[in-house]
Amino acid sequence: MRRGRRGTPAGEPGSVLADETEGYLLAHAHRNQAQHEAEELCARMPWLTTAQAEELAAHYVHRRLDVTRQLMLGTVRRAAELRQEYESRYTELRRALLRRHAAAACAVLACAAGVGAVAGVLVR
């Protein structure tokens, strides 16, 4: 079971609510940043009318949020790929370790049986 940063299991109501709240706050911060950048851009173009400045700002914010969304989706997709790769590798390593332990246990048992047989022959 995966645990979140807050110590609650992933998928629990508290974890889901915290993740959704964090996502909302992050999206809100990105939108505010985009709006601020759009206002700075329009301020550098004093010849724009108010309607043109508002239209440009709205277009800039919309486009910036689209780019941010695509970047975040790409990051989430890559994180899922990496998670799958690491889980596969971890499974392979666990299987190899289990095989090695089984082989070592068999070797120890074989040695013990051999020593027992030799001891039995020497005692007679």
Side-chain angles (χ1 to χ4, degrees), residues 24 39 41 45 54-55 73 77 90 92-93 95-96 110 119:
Y24 171 79
E39 289 169 1
L41 176 65
M45 299 180 202
E54 288 174 358
E55 184 179 344
L73 289 174
R77 190 172 25 258
Y90 179 72
E92 289 174 22
L93 290 173
R95 286 184 182 145

Side-chain angles (χ1 to χ4, degrees), residues 23-41 57 60-62 64-65 68:
Y24 171 79
L25 293 174
L26 184 61
H28 190 68
H30 278 282
R31 188 182 188 305
N32 285 343
Q33 180 65 30
Q35 185 66 40
H36 180 71
E37 290 173 7
E39 289 169 1
E40 285 181 353
L41 176 65
Y60 180 88
V61 169
H62 179 73
R64 170 77 188 279
L65 292 178
T68 301

Side-chain angles (χ1 to χ4, degrees), residues 5 11-12 20 26 35 39 41 49 62 65 70 74 77 79-80 88 94 96 98 102-103 109 119 124:
R5 285 175 279 155
E12 291 289 321
E20 286 180 4
L26 184 61
Q35 185 66 40
E39 289 169 1
L41 176 65
T49 65
H62 179 73
L65 292 178
Q70 292 303 315
R77 190 172 25 258
S88 298
R94 278 184 39 191
L98 180 61
L109 287 174
R124 292 185 192 178

Side-chain angles (χ1 to χ4, degrees), residues 9 13-14 16 20 23 35 42 60 64 67 72 78 89 98 119-120:
V16 171
E20 286 180 4
Q35 185 66 40
C42 292
Y60 180 88
R64 170 77 188 279
V67 169
M72 287 186 171
R78 181 63 181 145
R89 181 66 178 146
L98 180 61

Side-chain angles (χ1 to χ4, degrees), residues 55-108:
E55 184 179 344
L56 178 62
H59 178 72
Y60 180 88
V61 169
H62 179 73
R63 184 68 187 127
R64 170 77 188 279
L65 292 178
D66 284 344
V67 169
T68 301
R69 185 177 301 111
Q70 292 303 315
L71 287 172
M72 287 186 171
L73 289 174
T75 301
V76 167
R77 190 172 25 258
R78 181 63 181 145
E81 290 172 2
L82 286 174
R83 180 182 179 96
Q84 182 60 41
E85 289 176 22
Y86 284 123
E87 286 178 353
S88 298
R89 181 66 178 146
Y90 179 72
T91 301
E92 289 174 22
L93 290 173
R94 278 184 39 191
R95 286 184 182 145
L97 185 62
L98 180 61
R99 281 192 302 268
R100 289 178 186 153
H101 277 79
C106 289
V108 167

